[in-house]
Amino acid sequence: MQLPSLPVMVSVVLLLTACGPQKERIPALIPIPAEMKTLPGHFTLKPDARIAWTGGVGAAVSAETLVSELRPSTGFELSTTEGTDGDITVILDPASEWKSEEYRLTVKRKSVTLTAGTSEGLFRGIQTVRQMLPPAVFGKETAADIKWTMPCISVTDYPRFAWRGMHLDVSRHFLDMEFVKKYIDILAMHKINVFHWHLVDDQGWRIEIKKYPKLTEIGAWRVDREDKPWNSREPQKNGEEATYGGFYTQDDIREVVAYAAGKYITVVPEIEMPAHVGSALAAYPEYSCTGGPFTVPPGGVWPITDIYCAGKDETFAFLEDILAEVMDLFPSEYIHIGGDEADKTEWKQCPDCQARIKKEGLKDEHELQSYFIKRIERFLNSKGRKLIGWDEILQGGLAPEATVMSWQGFEGGIAAARSGHKAVMTPVSHCYFNIYQGDPATEPESFRGLLTLKKVYSFEPVPPELNAGEAELIIGAQGCLWTEYITDGATAEYMILPRLTALSEVTWSPAEKRNWEDFNIRLLKMMDRFDAAGINYSRGSFHVDMSASYDDSSGSIVLELTSEQPSPEIRYSTDGTDPSTDSPLYDKPLKMTEKATVKAAIFREGKMTGRISAKSININKATGMKVQYNIPFSDRYRGHGDRTLVNGINGSGDFNDGHWQGFEGTDMDVVVDLGQLTRITSVSSSFMAAVGSWIFLPRGVEYSSSADGSNFTPLGTATTLTDPADQGNTTETYFSSFPAVEARYIRVFAHGQIRLIKMYLKHLFL
Ligand code: ACM
Ligand code: ZN
């Protein structure tokens, strides 16, 4: 994925209202059921409870599933018998009218009844039963001293969408079998029913194919450059051994498919084509246009020019062989063929591809891609399967039966639906969980942009411009997790949770049942469940966002503290100490007139619920002064305009935070007018590197001063010793001190590799 900038975080005006304790009595179910009525009293699950089942083998299996899901944490060896009079009774009733996956759950003081028309419906209901019990039920070890009670309730529940998906990229970083199963467990507890497994990409081929063993012997391994930033990793050199990677054997794949099937989750494999296949071409270069050679790239590649040759029939034979093995392993109705981000440069130059264009009467390379996808679709359809691909498969004409996965926005899904095709919505703006979920300064390195929990929760998969018939073709929505910056399972969990929790409600619950405030109350219980299950997650939504602005008229800095949390109790300090329950309660924006470090956090019932946010206010002699730009700043990275560099506010880790200003080209050259002769002894300026976004530190900075604005005398220089390839995401301060001078104008000249710069001056003394 390579995308332009994303929207910045939306702040929320604080509402200080009380959350009633009566909410505690309502079970914290996520996703919220379609219909739910609370009843008085509780049911208590005892060690001698009997689980009865009726309605055939599906009911018996579901009863066993319930027992095995309750066993580890309760330690209860519950017995199952055929019948209708258990303490808990599981009923399979296919005769009645049921919506797909529907179940009904009634909890009374003395008995629990779970009924559905399918064992799939029963399984979704079992997930609700677990959430009715104390969070400790999600633990793997027997929990002592827990009373296993459920509030009495009547639930009728069914999903809004048929496709409730979550994707996982295992190419950019290979994640092992144990984690893949844990990921499926997480999906199941959220009533997600599609696991989209991204098994192929440039940086690794992860599925064993018997007919083409080199796909994993060669394609699954790359040189280890994990110590370097993703987008500046040198390709494999001659003689270097490829040691980093991994793959799933066909037995592993079968195990995952069966494990997911046990949780009524369909695994949809993605076998990328025609591009994002550097790993495959490293193994079999004969299916490229050029013949290679290729190596598996150890990091980012852009643009994606390595591509299968669409002119050679052998390419299609190769792909059909692969897909035949894939279809033997995956019983899913859909096979995902990728189709995204294919740069057609090679096709333009390849005689075979050009001959194909001519022979088939195609207009251009877009139509050649369409030919490619249609030909693959015919093969899949001939085996009774359906093709799904990223929205680029619309280019040059959509294959007749294809379903579109709309990622670049909503447009692909809209275009698909308007032409009578199905679509799954996974727009980057709401569904890419590899994007930062909070301030980059405190989050693990991620894709640029910001996708907050609240934004995910606000997602409406059906675009309003579709009519009712077209809207029916939006079969669901999906979260995506690309793993360029994710090397281990714990980080993957942290990135998807709780955003997947929000998405589960978007995809399962009726739209009118969604309520952000109520969701946040239920989310706290969900987090207790994650804790019990040993699942990592982000508390980013309990983060205080600090937004500072420079007030020209008063020369002060106004600091606003906000949070996505409804009714947050924010406490803050200005002396650098950590805030506590004794710290002042934030109720209105803070007016800052002096240097300070402000720290703030959210508290709830006497405890800090998230992390501490901090912001340095750096008021100094340059603050608010006039800046003359000898080289203009980039319009794309303008910060808040002319005074951005001297607003006295340190930039955060996010270069879109309004406090950084960017310069595209080679140099930066600005002059700060202090208004009068001023005695200074040092100057410093801060710069950012974000190599993934092609933002580099300057090689060096020259400071000079002048009394009249035309004759400048050097003050000092500061340089960086950091190699561009090692810069990653960092901020560096270029400091220079010197014998005191009297000056009115300070010139700052930075020599780049620069694309983005934040500069401010400090330590200026009269
Ligand atoms: C994608 O993110 N390239 C589908
Ligand atoms: Zn070709």
Side-chain angles (χ1 to χ4, degrees):
M1 131 178 176
Q2 181 92 3
L3 275 171
S5 60
L6 293 151
V8 291
M9 190 161 187
V10 179
S11 319
V12 178
V13 177
L14 305 177
L15 293 168
L16 294 167
T17 54
C19 315
Q22 73 277 4
K23 300 256 189 202
E24 291 299 318
R25 281 189 43 80
I26 301 170
L29 302 179
I30 297 183
I32 191 109
E35 293 163 39
M36 176 169 92
K37 207 165 98 200
T38 52
L39 305 168
H42 280 84
F43 169 86
T44 303
L45 182 71
K46 308 234 174 70
D48 60 354
R50 286 176 316 106
I51 315 289
W53 55 267
T54 183
V57 64
V61 169
S62 301
E64 287 303 332
T65 301
L66 178 61
V67 169
S68 63
E69 295 220 348
L70 299 178
R71 184 182 294 122
S73 54
T74 61
F76 297 168
E77 285 300 335
L78 302 173
S79 63
T80 61
T81 50
E82 185 163 10
T84 54
D85 61 344
D87 298 295
I88 300 179
T89 303
V90 175
I91 304 169
L92 194 57
D93 172 22
S96 303
E97 285 271 306
W98 294 95
K99 295 187 173 71
S100 180
E101 299 179 68
E102 181 175 358
Y103 69 91
R104 280 186 213 133
L105 175 67
T106 311
V107 178
K108 295 185 181 161
R109 285 194 170 99
K110 296 277 173 229
S111 66
V112 174
T113 312
L114 175 63
T115 315
T118 59
S119 42
E120 187 179 14
L122 289 175
F123 184 82
R124 305 294 175 231
I126 290 169
Q127 301 316 305
T128 302
V129 170
R130 290 172 87 203
Q131 292 193 3
M132 296 288 296
L133 288 160
V137 77
F138 285 84
K140 302 214 171 21
E141 317 262 303
T142 309
D145 301 328
I146 303 266
K147 201 165 171 216
W148 300 105
T149 60
M150 306 186 214
C152 292
I153 199 170
S154 161
V155 168
T156 299
D157 199 14
Y158 45 83
R160 179 176 171 202
F161 290 107
W163 184 300
R164 305 180 305 279
M166 187 65 219
H167 150 288
L168 178 66
D169 167 12
V170 290
S171 172
R172 274 50 179 268
H173 286 98
F174 178 70
L175 296 161
D176 66 18
M177 284 288 287
E178 191 186 345
F179 176 71
V180 171
K181 287 187 185 171
K182 187 177 183 191
Y183 199 75
I184 289 168
D185 292 343
I186 295 169
L187 270 48
M189 74 188 275
H190 288 90
K191 299 188 170 79
I192 295 294
N193 68 341
V194 177
F195 171 41
H196 172 172
W197 206 2
H198 186 79
L199 289 160
V200 171
D201 217 302
D202 291 301
Q203 294 83 0
W205 182 284
R206 305 293 178 212
I207 172 174
E208 179 189 24
I209 300 294
K210 301 275 189 202
K211 187 156 183 186
Y212 299 102
K214 284 191 288 183
L215 284 171
T216 44
E217 285 165 12
I218 293 171
W221 305 96
R222 64 192 195 220
V223 282
D224 188 346
R225 304 260 194 270
E226 293 300 301
D227 58 329
K228 294 275 190 280
W230 178 260
N231 279 330
S232 52
R233 293 183 180 174
E234 204 187 345
Q236 185 172 351
K237 288 187 283 219
N238 253 344
E240 247 188 322
E241 211 184 330
T243 55
Y244 187 87
F247 66 94
Y248 309 99
T249 64
Q250 294 204 346
D251 281 344
D252 289 340
I253 300 273
R254 275 187 280 267
E255 194 176 323
V256 168
V257 168
Y259 187 80
K263 295 173 189 283
Y264 298 89
I265 292 173
T266 302
V267 187
V268 173
E270 182 181 348
I271 307 298
E272 275 271 20
M273 61 188 78
H276 279 291
V277 291
S279 56
L281 295 179
Y284 295 96
E286 57 269 41
Y287 304 118
S288 70
C289 290
T290 61
F294 302 90
T295 53
V296 181
V301 183
W302 195 260
I304 313 293
T305 50
D306 291 348
I307 194 165
Y308 289 134
C309 180
K312 295 178 191 143
D313 284 330
E314 295 82 350
T315 304
F316 293 94
F318 169 70
L319 290 173
E320 288 177 9
D321 288 343
I322 290 170
L323 289 171
E325 290 194 32
V326 166
M327 285 186 280
D328 279 347
L329 293 166
F330 294 92
S332 59
E333 178 185 26
Y334 282 100
I335 303 293
H336 200 302
I337 55 76
D340 56 321
E341 300 179 316
D343 183 288
K344 319 289 192 306
T345 305
E346 296 296 344
W347 285 0
K348 290 193 179 117
Q349 292 157 8
C350 169
D352 292 327
C353 286
Q354 291 305 313
R356 174 84 71 196
I357 287 176
K358 212 158 164 203
K359 176 160 168 257
E360 299 291 334
L362 306 172
K363 198 166 85 216
D364 56 14
E365 287 71 25
H366 287 313
E367 288 200 0
L368 182 58
Q369 173 169 296
S370 171
Y371 165 88
F372 195 115
I373 305 295
K374 284 176 181 159
R375 188 161 163 175
I376 294 294
E377 175 173 78
R378 276 199 302 280
F379 178 71
L380 293 177
N381 289 168
S382 76
K383 308 288 178 203
R385 304 302 181 96
K386 290 187 180 157
L387 180 146
I388 185 167
W390 301 111
D391 52 49
E392 288 92 332
I393 64 171
L394 284 152
Q395 294 167 5
L398 197 51
E401 306 293 328
T403 296
V404 169
M405 192 166 263
S406 188
W407 74 278
Q408 297 185 84
F410 291 81
E411 296 73 21
I414 292 169
R418 287 199 168 141
S419 59
H421 290 259
K422 289 182 183 164
V424 174
M425 304 307 273
T426 178
V428 173
S429 56
H430 294 79
C431 296
Y432 269 37
F433 299 161
N434 46 313
I435 290 170
Y436 280 108
Q437 55 194 317
D439 182 354
T442 53
E443 289 292 316
E445 186 179 12
S446 306
F447 263 89
R448 62 181 274 203
L450 186 63
L451 174 51
T452 65
L453 183 65
K454 188 172 187 187
K455 179 138 192 219
V456 177
Y457 196 75
S458 75
F459 175 40
E460 172 44 54
V462 180
E465 48 269 69
L466 295 183
N467 67 32
E470 292 160 352
E472 294 278 307
L473 294 168
I474 306 299
I475 58 172
Q478 176 176 293
C480 288
L481 190 69
W482 303 96
T483 55
E484 283 89 342
Y485 301 110
I486 296 168
T487 56
D488 59 87
T491 309
E493 292 164 24
Y494 180 89
M495 295 305 286
I496 67 166
L497 297 174
R499 289 185 286 192
L500 175 65
T501 313
L503 186 69
S504 76
E505 197 147 302
V506 169
T507 54
W508 176 281
S509 307
E512 67 276 10
K513 288 273 162 156
R514 265 193 266 160
N515 177 309
W516 171 241
E517 193 157 330
D518 183 57
F519 172 77
N520 271 281
I521 294 163
R522 287 179 284 123
L523 180 61
L524 290 169
K525 200 49 90 45
M526 200 70 172
M527 289 177 167
D528 290 344
R529 293 172 190 135
F530 297 152
D531 286 333
I535 296 169
N536 196 20
Y537 60 93
S538 167
R539 283 188 169 268
S541 66
F542 293 92
H543 188 84
V544 177
D545 299 306
M546 298 181 153
S547 151
S549 54
Y550 183 74
D551 178 12
D552 252 336
S553 59
S554 67
S556 65
I557 289 170
V558 178
L559 190 61
E560 197 178 350
L561 310 186
T562 57
S563 166
E564 291 207 318
Q565 283 293 305
S567 323
E569 177 189 326
I570 297 178
R571 295 185 180 274
Y572 69 94
S573 68
T574 53
D575 59 1
T577 60
D578 288 351
S580 69
T581 47
D582 296 332
S583 302
L585 185 68
Y586 174 84
D587 60 355
K588 61 173 187 300
L590 311 174
K591 208 165 190 180
M592 310 297 299
T593 51
E594 284 173 34
K595 227 170 130 110
T597 298
V598 181
K599 290 187 173 178
I602 295 177
F603 291 80
R604 196 184 152 91
E605 291 165 4
K607 281 206 305 243
M608 196 186 289
T609 56
R611 280 193 235 148
I612 296 172
S613 304
K615 190 141 213 110
S616 295
I617 301 297
N618 222 320
I619 292 175
N620 63 80
K621 291 291 184 277
T623 304
M625 297 300 161
K626 192 164 176 297
V627 180
Q628 174 194 321
Y629 292 89
N630 294 338
I631 296 173
F633 54 81
S634 158
D635 214 34
R636 295 197 296 156
Y637 303 115
R638 55 194 330 277
H640 60 81
D642 284 355
R643 285 204 164 76
T644 304
L645 299 178
V646 289
N647 68 7
I649 301 159
N650 289 9
S652 71
D654 173 10
F655 55 78
N656 281 322
D657 70 358
H659 302 301
W660 293 96
Q661 199 161 61
F663 295 80
E664 291 185 275
T666 49
D667 301 324
M668 178 192 102
D669 184 6
V670 300
V671 176
V672 181
D673 178 358
L674 300 175
Q676 60 189 11
L677 279 181
T678 304
R679 185 178 149 87
I680 62 166
T681 57
S682 68
V683 185
S684 71
S685 50
S686 287
F687 295 83
M688 170 188 269
V691 172
S693 304
W694 303 104
I695 295 162
F696 297 95
L697 296 172
R699 278 178 286 124
V701 181
E702 287 169 24
Y703 299 113
S704 53
S705 69
S706 164
D708 59 10
S710 46
N711 298 305
F712 281 84
T713 314
L715 289 171
T717 59
T719 54
T720 183
L721 298 176
T722 316
D723 191 281
D726 292 331
Q727 286 175 9
N729 282 357
T730 173
T731 306
E732 198 166 303
T733 298
Y734 293 68
F735 176 79
S736 178
S737 62
F738 34 79
V741 294
E742 294 275 336
R744 174 171 168 178
Y745 300 93
I746 307 294
R747 184 173 179 187
V748 182
F749 191 101
H751 300 267
Q753 291 150 334
I754 314 165
R755 271 205 33 211
L756 196 73
I757 291 168
K758 157 76 173 186
M759 192 279 291
Y760 64 84
L761 305 176
K762 58 178 182 176
H763 303 310
L764 300 171
F765 299 103
L766 272 175

